[in-house]
Amino acid sequence: FYLKNRMFKYSNAILDERRRLFMAYKINDSCISCGACAGACPMNCIAAGEKYVIDAATCIDCGTCAGVCPVGAPNPADE
């Protein structure tokens, strides 16, 4: 149990550092709510709403959503 707990804390520290260094994707106003991005996301961090929204805390910045979107709505948050 001790080793498992330490690994969990270590992996969380790595994720926190990655989130500090990388920006998550966000979906701009050109979203047509087709859902292609949500179906392709390996982390399931895209939720439906008036337009689709990406949970920045869960996004791993892989860009899969941007690759499947027919209108190019997902973009890196720093753009």
Side-chain angles (χ1 to χ4, degrees):
F1 175 76
Y2 175 74
L3 182 58
K4 191 176 191 180
N5 192 29
R6 283 188 57 125
M7 291 300 290
F8 180 73
K9 288 180 182 177
Y10 178 72
S11 63
N12 281 343
I14 291 172
L15 286 174
D16 290 342
E17 180 66 11
R18 196 207 72 68
R19 288 182 185 122
R20 187 182 69 76
L21 295 173
F22 298 99
M23 300 297 288
Y25 273 65
K26 68 177 183 177
I27 298 176
N28 64 32
D29 292 333
S30 64
C31 177
I32 58 172
S33 298
C34 67
C37 58
C41 179
M43 299 302 292
N44 296 319
C45 65
I46 303 175
E50 186 175 314
K51 66 175 187 171
Y52 279 78
V53 179
I54 298 174
D55 177 10
T58 309
C59 178
I60 59 170
D61 196 36
C62 67
T64 302
C65 56
V68 299
C69 180
V71 295
N75 293 293
D78 58 349
E79 285 185 0

